[in-house]
Amino acid sequence: MKILLFLLMTILALCPTVSAETLEERVKNLENALNRQEQIIREQQKKIEQLSGQKEQIQTEVIQTTGVDSREKERSAVRDYRLDDRSKAIAMQSASPISPYQITEKQTPSLLNPSISLIFDSLYYQTNLSEEELEEREIPGYVALHEHGEGSHSHGHGTFEKGFNLRSAELTIFAPVDPYFNLYATIPFTEDGSEVEEAYFVTTSLPAGLQIKGGKFKSGFGRFNAFHPHAWDFVDAPLPYTAFLGGEGLIEKGIQFTYLPPLPVYTLLGFEILQGENEVLYGEEAKSGPHAYTGFAKMSLDFGEYNTILWGISVTGGETKTESIEHETEFSGNSVLYGAELTYKWKPSKDRSLILQSEYLLRHQTGDFEYLEDSTVDSLKRTQDGLYLQGLYQIDRWRIGARYDVLSIFKDTYKLAGEEEDFGDNPYRLTGSLEFNPTEFSRLRLQYTYDKSAGNGKENNEIFLQLILGIGAHGAHSF
Amino acid sequence: MIKKIALCIVFVFMFMGTAFGELRVVVTLPWIGSLVNEIGKYRVHLDVIVKATQDPHFVEAKPSMILAVRKADVLMYNGLDLEIGYLPVLIESSRNQKIQSGMAGNVDCSRYVKVIDHPDKVDRSMGDVHPFGNPHYHFSPKNIERVAAGITEVLSRLDTGNADFFRKNMAVFSSKLHGKESAWKAKHFHGKKVIAYHKLFEYLAADFGLTISGYVEPKPGIPPSVAYIGRLIEKMKEERIHTVITTSLYPRKEVDFIADKTGARVIVLPHDVGSMPEIVDWFTLMDTVLTRLQ
């Protein structure tokens, strides 16, 4: 109001055409205006002095109550002053009907940036096989690990070069979009470039325990599937996953619906509609449009304070067109993959834990098997299964692990043109690992694998020395 | 027919849990549960998801916790990033819009607290430093009174029918606290020097005149090396520090070694409500801490 008046007066004063006032009168008006301005300045100065007086008072109060060195005192005093406004606000609010949760938090600019983390995953690899033998390696009757050389260096794939490997530097970005969505993106950078491994939203405000996830994401199928390679319990994926889904698992574009009912026992139900592009199970060219569906149910119970078990069943199915079974062949038809999982965790303290985990996968496929060289087609019907069993025991910063993974354990039929094919011994592997985890952001792992997955082919003795380091935002870990 | 039954089951699930009038309060740490008990008493349904035997820095998001948060009307937590390793997962996986960040049912108790130890510059080479300041404010009566007042306001707002009941309980809590405070003040430590295992007792030190001269951990969350322990022992001898304070969560090996070399007394303090059988609420927690420190 004062400012308005002042402006008005100035305009009036400066306006020479307002009236036929004398010069003296105009000077007087100007003087008046200046006086008013001065008065305003004086009032403001007074207020500033008052405020800084309050600040000092609070600082001295704080210094009296703390027993730390003087620099620290000064710093904390300034901090406390800043925060004191908050407690004042609270005090005010106890009197007024405004709720405490409307207090504005101390804003830092970083709060508006998304959380970003980078995870470095590198390893040294040694084996008794030659580079050539490695290239040609396959699991006969299941999967050719390097179909036409493509994807052989892809992130998380079960094959490595002898010597030093940079598996990836994985960038993860996440933040709430608004009160309705959270957004996540995982972009691993490799020597061959980068790909968007995952980019998806998750709803946060649907009612009744419902949630929708959409974009490109790791399917809720099974247990192992949800984890990124740097969070795996061993360097590589277990055989059933490699054989039925490829080394990276089921990552698809699509939409996921989950429901968490308010039962006495944790139960999660989920359904997914997927594009169906997994190169081993489905294939990009199987059909245009979404052609794969996934359903899963998971339950968990605690026993006592330290024991938790988690179990579940999953199924995914759809149309398939893949060149992954054998070199120079193409299969087109239908696939269904069933999964059953069981995890037990014992964690009496942060320094000790035991995790036992197992998954059983069974895949059924029927369709046409085409030899690309001469275009001959045979019918193929195969029902195969696989299992892994693993245990990890942690003491302080050390952890030891063991894993047994095997294919064709209960079920192994492979009927080409009605005839049963024999691919020799059941593929299996034995793995042992030793980890040292200096902090939760660093992990050094030594792993040995005896790999007999090539049927009657050569066995592979593998040694890995892996280093994983994470910087940036502290990601929360799921169970 | 099957569809109809399935639909019915889904509806029953949807309305279970919301059918009862009691406010469902889920808290992370036991001491927050103790405050909610003081204010809400039998008129709220309380779930505490972290056990007193757990180190609050290293809690894992169990599915049972997700389920508890799923059913919550209010989620109250310590804040200052203490729960960063599991709470974001619980909140998102709970599929419960009431307790999402920014909602009325999402209560960060640290917003009522005068935070100390706010680092000017922080990176992980300094160890597991909390970038928003020291989160262990539950040893500070002044701050706890404010937190309790905050809890009262939240509960009163979400359950207006019981608002008077909650406010009355808060008044009782306040007067009990003020009564205790004079007794506690008598236990002022006048700058007594101690070595602590972790940066857990800074608020206690500030409120009761304790001087924490050093830590068994060289950096928060980093276990000590032999050389570091050696230097610490020398420092203790030089500065005549005769007390080492720790909790049952931290390893005893280094602490006992230091005590053996310096003749210092080791005091094991409870870190939270329920960590010792006699500690049934926040008041007995403070009583025990201050008595043991004498």
Side-chain angles (χ1 to χ4, degrees):
Chain A
M1 198 62 209
K2 266 182 196 166
I3 295 168
L4 261 178
L5 214 76
F6 171 68
L7 274 176
L8 210 72
M9 285 191 70
T10 334
I11 289 165
L12 283 176
L14 294 177
C15 191
T17 55
V18 163
S19 62
E21 288 159 329
T22 59
L23 194 72
E24 268 171 76
E25 270 176 320
R26 271 199 259 161
V27 170
K28 225 176 199 176
N29 279 343
L30 263 172
E31 260 178 338
N32 278 343
L34 273 171
N35 281 342
R36 275 175 173 280
Q37 217 174 358
E38 226 173 295
Q39 205 178 335
I40 289 167
I41 290 168
R42 242 182 274 138
E43 275 170 17
Q44 282 174 341
Q45 210 142 24
K46 224 181 190 175
K47 267 187 193 162
I48 290 167
E49 273 163 23
Q50 269 179 356
L51 278 170
S52 58
Q54 277 179 10
K55 185 178 164 184
E56 267 161 37
Q57 199 189 337
I58 289 159
Q59 279 181 348
T60 45
E61 269 175 29
V62 170
I63 287 167
Q64 279 162 3
T65 52
T66 48
V68 266
D69 74 81
S70 65
R71 247 190 88 205
E72 183 56 36
K73 265 184 223 160
E74 249 174 57
R75 260 191 263 145
S76 67
V78 174
R79 249 180 271 131
D80 279 359
Y81 170 65
R82 248 191 273 141
L83 283 151
D84 201 51
D85 288 350
R86 264 209 254 170
S87 52
K88 262 188 216 153
I90 293 161
M92 273 166 60
Q93 267 156 7
S94 332
S96 71
I98 307 164
S99 65
Y101 41 81
Q102 283 168 348
I103 298 165
T104 43
E105 284 289 312
K106 190 174 45 159
Q107 287 287 327
T108 53
S110 68
L111 284 180
L112 292 173
N113 290 332
S115 304
I116 298 172
S117 71
L118 185 80
I119 295 167
F120 162 90
D121 185 350
S122 71
L123 57 94
Y124 188 86
Y125 178 63
Q126 201 48 259
T127 165
N128 59 308
L129 299 185
S130 70
E131 202 68 55
E132 207 173 41
E133 286 170 316
L134 276 179
E135 286 288 328
E136 285 169 4
R137 200 156 174 82
E138 57 175 30
I139 309 174
Y142 283 88
V143 67
L145 295 172
H146 297 258
E147 98 271 17
H148 31 214
E150 211 177 78
S152 59
H153 296 289
S154 99
H155 168 70
H157 218 281
T159 48
F160 306 97
E161 276 177 52
K162 280 186 171 192
F164 295 104
N165 288 259
L166 176 65
R167 205 187 202 178
S168 76
E170 187 179 286
L171 188 66
T172 301
I173 304 171
F174 59 96
V177 178
D178 54 26
Y180 312 108
F181 298 102
N182 287 346
L183 188 68
Y184 295 80
T186 305
I187 305 162
F189 288 87
T190 65
E191 286 169 289
D192 302 327
S194 67
E195 52 167 342
V196 179
E197 185 177 281
E198 282 190 290
Y200 60 88
F201 66 84
V202 178
T203 63
T204 55
S205 296
L206 290 185
L210 296 166
Q211 191 164 65
I212 297 174
K213 188 192 246 193
K216 187 183 180 192
F217 54 89
K218 286 179 166 286
S219 162
F221 177 93
R223 168 145 180 89
F224 176 81
N225 199 66
F227 293 91
H228 286 112
H230 61 80
W232 289 351
D233 291 324
F234 297 91
V235 175
D236 46 0
L239 275 182
Y241 273 89
T242 314
F244 301 136
L245 292 166
E248 288 174 70
L250 189 59
I251 307 172
E252 293 279 355
K253 293 191 283 285
I255 190 156
Q256 179 194 70
F257 304 88
T258 46
Y259 173 50
L260 181 69
L263 294 174
V265 177
Y266 174 88
T267 311
L268 182 69
L269 306 170
F271 177 70
E272 292 167 356
I273 303 167
L274 305 172
Q275 196 69 8
E277 294 181 346
N278 181 282
E279 53 174 329
V280 175
L281 191 67
Y282 298 123
E284 256 174 72
E285 280 155 24
K287 196 183 173 187
S288 68
H291 54 89
Y293 303 90
T294 302
F296 54 86
K298 288 166 196 206
M299 293 181 87
S300 173
L301 264 182
D302 290 347
F303 295 97
E305 273 186 39
Y306 310 132
N307 305 288
T308 304
I309 60 167
L310 172 74
W311 70 97
I313 47 167
S314 311
V315 60
T316 182
E319 290 184 43
T320 303
K321 191 170 194 174
T322 178
E323 297 180 7
S324 69
I325 296 180
E326 239 179 83
H327 295 279
E328 304 298 314
T329 66
E330 187 178 87
F331 169 81
S332 41
N334 287 296
S335 307
V336 191
L337 179 67
Y338 303 93
E341 60 181 273
L342 179 64
T343 304
Y344 164 75
K345 268 195 200 185
W346 171 74
K347 198 172 195 292
S349 75
K350 74 176 175 74
D351 302 318
R352 194 134 318 182
S353 67
L354 172 71
I355 309 169
L356 298 175
Q357 185 177 320
S358 180
E359 272 186 84
Y360 173 74
L361 266 57
L362 173 75
R363 187 211 42 209
H364 184 69
Q365 263 177 342
T366 49
D368 296 328
F369 193 64
E370 182 181 351
Y371 295 92
L372 294 174
E373 261 178 20
D374 51 6
S375 295
T376 52
V377 178
D378 281 328
S379 75
L380 174 67
K381 189 174 175 179
R382 54 177 189 161
T383 306
Q384 295 162 310
D385 65 357
L387 174 98
Y388 75 84
L389 197 67
Q390 68 183 40
L392 292 124
Y393 185 66
Q394 175 227 342
I395 306 173
D396 297 330
R397 302 201 274 181
W398 294 88
R399 196 162 79 143
I400 51 166
R403 178 182 66 187
Y404 168 61
D405 44 351
V406 60
L407 296 174
S408 312
I409 182 160
F410 303 119
K411 197 87 187 151
D412 182 20
T413 55
Y414 189 106
K415 278 191 175 151
L416 193 61
E419 299 260 325
E420 179 68 40
E421 299 264 317
D422 183 15
F423 293 99
D425 298 345
N426 290 2
Y428 76 94
R429 297 190 303 178
L430 291 169
T431 303
S433 73
L434 175 67
E435 283 171 17
F436 177 61
N437 302 301
T439 63
E440 24 170 351
F441 307 102
S442 52
R443 166 168 292 167
L444 185 66
R445 177 190 282 137
L446 180 68
Q447 177 179 323
Y448 167 75
T449 300
Y450 173 74
D451 177 2
K452 194 96 175 53
S453 64
N456 292 342
K458 218 170 170 181
E459 61 203 38
N460 187 5
N461 290 285
E462 298 176 295
I463 292 221
F464 304 87
L465 184 62
Q466 185 184 27
L467 181 65
I468 301 170
L469 304 170
I471 54 172
H474 189 311
H477 316 286
S478 48
F479 182 74
Chain B
M1 187 60 200
I2 291 173
K3 262 187 195 166
K4 271 185 190 167
I5 293 171
L7 213 70
C8 280
I9 292 173
V10 167
F11 274 112
V12 169
F13 286 168
M14 275 162 68
F15 293 107
M16 266 171 74
T18 54
F20 314 107
E22 260 175 13
L23 203 62
R24 294 190 78 107
V25 183
V26 172
V27 305
T28 53
L29 304 181
W31 70 261
I32 307 175
S34 164
L35 296 191
V36 172
N37 254 335
E38 300 276 353
I39 309 300
K41 300 210 191 291
Y42 56 92
R43 297 208 183 157
V44 297
H45 180 282
L46 175 67
D47 265 321
V48 182
I49 56 177
V50 177
K51 301 283 187 290
T53 48
Q54 284 176 293
D55 186 330
H57 297 87
F58 300 92
V59 177
E60 208 177 35
K62 286 199 232 176
S64 57
M65 298 176 182
I66 295 173
L67 188 64
V69 178
R70 154 75 172 96
K71 299 172 184 171
D73 295 312
V74 201
L75 173 69
M76 295 181 175
Y77 52 97
N78 186 94
L80 300 173
D81 270 6
L82 183 63
E83 294 105 335
I84 186 86
Y86 63 100
L87 201 60
V89 169
L90 294 185
I91 290 174
E92 191 186 275
S93 309
S94 73
R95 294 156 174 83
N96 178 354
Q97 80 257 49
K98 288 185 216 161
I99 52 85
Q100 299 295 321
S101 172
M103 299 296 284
N106 182 304
V107 183
D108 175 351
C109 294
S110 74
R111 66 160 76 127
Y112 309 114
V113 168
K114 280 189 184 180
V115 181
I116 61 171
D117 279 349
H118 198 297
D120 291 335
K121 174 186 159 289
V122 61
D123 68 57
R124 295 226 174 93
S125 66
M126 301 151 127
D128 199 2
V129 177
H130 296 284
F132 300 109
N134 193 310
H136 308 293
Y137 53 81
H138 62 299
F139 291 121
S140 160
K142 282 228 161 55
N143 281 312
I144 284 303
E145 190 179 9
R146 275 201 290 264
V147 172
I151 289 174
T152 308
E153 285 313 300
V154 172
L155 295 181
S156 308
R157 197 167 169 71
L158 293 177
D159 185 359
T160 43
N162 281 321
D164 290 340
F165 175 76
F166 298 142
R167 294 211 170 96
K168 208 181 79 206
N169 291 340
M170 177 62 207
V172 173
F173 178 83
S174 258
S175 59
K176 187 175 175 190
L177 181 79
H178 293 148
K180 282 269 183 193
E181 234 170 0
S182 48
W184 288 340
K185 258 192 198 135
K187 293 182 175 167
H188 199 273
F189 297 102
H190 307 290
K192 178 182 173 181
K193 283 180 173 180
V194 298
I195 297 292
Y197 193 93
H198 178 73
K199 272 190 155 229
L200 190 63
F201 305 106
E202 319 313 297
Y203 290 88
L204 189 75
D207 279 18
F208 294 96
L210 214 57
T211 306
I212 299 176
S213 309
Y215 301 92
V216 179
E217 286 179 334
K219 285 166 183 178
I222 306 291
S225 64
V226 176
Y228 176 81
I229 293 286
R231 284 199 299 278
L232 190 67
I233 287 171
E234 231 148 81
K235 180 192 166 91
M236 286 174 72
K237 281 179 182 160
E238 250 169 51
E239 297 182 21
R240 297 172 191 280
I241 303 168
H242 305 299
T243 312
V244 180
I245 55 178
T246 184
T247 75
S248 56
L249 293 175
Y250 302 122
R252 277 306 288 270
K253 206 178 78 186
E254 291 92 353
V255 175
D256 286 340
F257 180 78
I258 293 167
D260 191 45
K261 291 286 173 206
T262 59
R265 188 161 71 106
V266 178
I267 301 177
V268 180
L269 295 179
H271 66 279
D272 204 337
V273 174
S275 59
M276 291 170 187
E278 70 270 26
I279 297 166
V280 292
D281 59 14
W282 179 78
F283 286 108
T284 42
L285 174 74
M286 287 308 292
D287 280 337
T288 311
V289 165
L290 294 170
T291 312
R292 289 202 172 209
L293 272 173
Q294 288 297 305

